[in-house]
């Protein structure tokens, strides 16, 4: 079965962390409605939702992706780089303990799941404002016995690696190269987001279709013209909190 851990939008979302984006007013009811529709969209793909309640003390807690890295063999509970997010780990760890052996990233290591892209046995990890070198070292030491190679990717101006690079399958990444300090290593095809849509590289590949926010129509068109099946999702209210589509769930098989 395929599961997704999601968490209802905190009524304190307007007090969220913002790193590379200015603050603008957030309509909680609209953000909550968009989040519920995203849950329905996941269910329409046969995903079973595990839904945590909202927490008014944890503004960013709807961004569950950052809290765990789930591999076939284990789940790694992160230590978020944003101190305000560290108490988000407890209920997510309680859920994942039913599905996988748990490992934990410990201080001074920090890592957030939005920085992690796994392709086969390669784990690409953004090194930036939320994930540090010690967090990457711990991830490498936890996963190496199972044959994983961890590859750090220094970032600039991107909250997470998945803000500026996501995997489209078929040996291809969608990237905003301006927000990567180095070209992505490996023999891959790179598709660049249009210059007018620098935030558009965060996409979620589900059932062979690339999903991205409706706010990025040029990117959607470019992907369709490149032969991809594409679907767009309204999440502009959530994007004011520096959210990407991938941030909103932890998807895994069990
Ligand atoms: N507002 C999303 C984050 O900073 O984690």
């Amino acid at each position: 079965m395929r599961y997704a851990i999601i968490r209802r939008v905190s009524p304190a979302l307007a007090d969220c962390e913002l790193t590379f984006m200015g603050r603008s007013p957030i309509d909680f009811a609209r953000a909550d409605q968009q989040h519920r529709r995203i849950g329905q969209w996941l269910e329409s793909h046969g995903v079973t939702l595990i839904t945590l309640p909202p927490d008014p003390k944890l503004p960013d807690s709807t961004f569950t992706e950052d809290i765990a890295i789930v591999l076939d063999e284990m789940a790694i509970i992160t230590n978020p780089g944003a101190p305000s997010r560290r108490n988000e780990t407890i209920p997510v760890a309680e859920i994942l303990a039913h599905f996988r052996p748990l490992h934990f990233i410990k201080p001074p290591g920090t890592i957030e799941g939005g920085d992690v892209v796994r392709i086969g046995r390669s784990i690409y990890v953004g090194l930036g404002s939320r994930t540090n070198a010690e967090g990457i070292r711990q991830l490498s030491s936890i996963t190496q016995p199972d044959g994983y190679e961890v590859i750090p990717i220094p970032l600039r101006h991107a909250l997470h690696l998945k803000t500026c690079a996501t995997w489209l399958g078929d040996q291809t990444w969608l990237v905003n190269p301006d927000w990567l300090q180095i070209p992505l290593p490996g023999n891959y095809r790179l598709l660049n987001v249009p210059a007018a849509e620098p935030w558009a590289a965060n996409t979620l590949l589900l059932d062979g279709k690339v999903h991205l926010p409706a706010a990025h129509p040029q990117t959607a068109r470019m992907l369709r013209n490149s032969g991809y099946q594409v679907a767009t999702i309204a999440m502009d209210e959530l994007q004011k909190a520096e959210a990407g589509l991938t941030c909103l769930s932890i998807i895994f098989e069990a």
Side-chain angles (χ1 to χ4, degrees):
M1 279 183 66
R2 189 158 49 172
Y3 294 91
I5 301 175
I6 66 167
R7 188 161 197 171
R8 291 273 173 248
V9 176
S10 168
L13 180 65
D15 299 324
C16 66
E17 297 283 342
L18 289 171
T19 308
F20 295 104
M21 190 177 271
R23 197 168 293 278
S24 52
I26 294 179
D27 179 336
F28 166 75
R30 193 158 179 271
D32 185 59
Q33 186 186 53
Q34 291 184 344
H35 182 261
R36 285 172 193 272
R37 289 210 181 116
I38 288 168
Q40 289 162 2
W41 156 71
L42 286 168
E43 286 182 314
S44 76
H45 280 269
V47 176
T48 299
L49 298 184
I50 303 171
T51 305
L52 286 162
D55 188 328
K57 296 186 296 307
L58 297 172
D60 285 292
S61 51
T62 198
F63 307 126
T64 54
E65 171 180 63
D66 295 320
I67 302 308
I69 301 153
V70 182
L71 304 174
D72 291 345
E73 302 84 356
M74 69 188 92
I76 299 138
I77 306 301
T78 66
N79 180 36
S84 68
R85 302 200 56 187
R86 295 198 178 139
N87 282 342
E88 295 176 29
T89 55
I90 299 156
V92 173
E94 283 172 3
I95 292 167
L96 285 171
H98 294 286
F99 295 96
R100 300 281 199 278
L102 297 188
H103 294 264
F104 293 85
I105 301 294
K106 300 188 178 108
T110 67
I111 198 161
E112 294 190 1
D115 272 318
V116 178
V117 176
R118 183 188 65 81
I119 303 169
R121 294 272 139 183
S122 300
I123 305 177
Y124 294 81
V125 187
L127 175 62
S129 63
R130 297 294 177 85
T131 292
N132 65 17
E134 171 58 16
I136 293 176
R137 189 199 64 72
Q138 290 182 30
L139 180 67
S140 183
S141 135
I142 291 166
T143 57
Q144 198 186 28
D146 286 293
Y148 291 96
E149 181 193 12
V150 171
I151 302 151
I153 307 290
L155 307 176
R156 61 171 164 235
H157 195 81
L159 178 60
H160 294 124
L161 176 60
K162 282 188 205 164
T163 313
C164 59
T166 52
W167 180 242
L168 299 177
D170 300 328
Q171 296 301 305
T172 305
W173 292 83
L174 178 66
V175 297
N176 174 345
D178 294 340
W179 292 355
L180 294 166
Q181 281 192 35
I182 58 167
L184 285 170
N187 196 16
Y188 299 116
R189 183 165 73 120
L190 302 179
L191 288 181
N192 290 351
V193 294
E197 295 182 352
W199 294 88
N202 184 272
T203 63
L204 200 157
L205 184 64
L206 202 57
D207 296 335
K209 194 181 275 191
V210 181
H211 297 81
L212 76 163
H216 308 307
Q218 290 188 25
T219 306
R221 198 173 317 120
M222 183 271 287
L223 289 169
R224 284 194 184 100
N225 290 341
S226 303
Y228 290 91
Q229 285 191 64
V230 175
T232 58
I233 294 185
M235 54 171 291
D236 52 297
E237 208 60 42
L238 293 158
Q239 284 180 288
K240 292 178 186 170
E242 208 165 344
L245 180 57
T246 62
C247 306
L248 296 163
S249 58
I250 302 169
I251 299 175
F252 62 97
E253 307 262 351

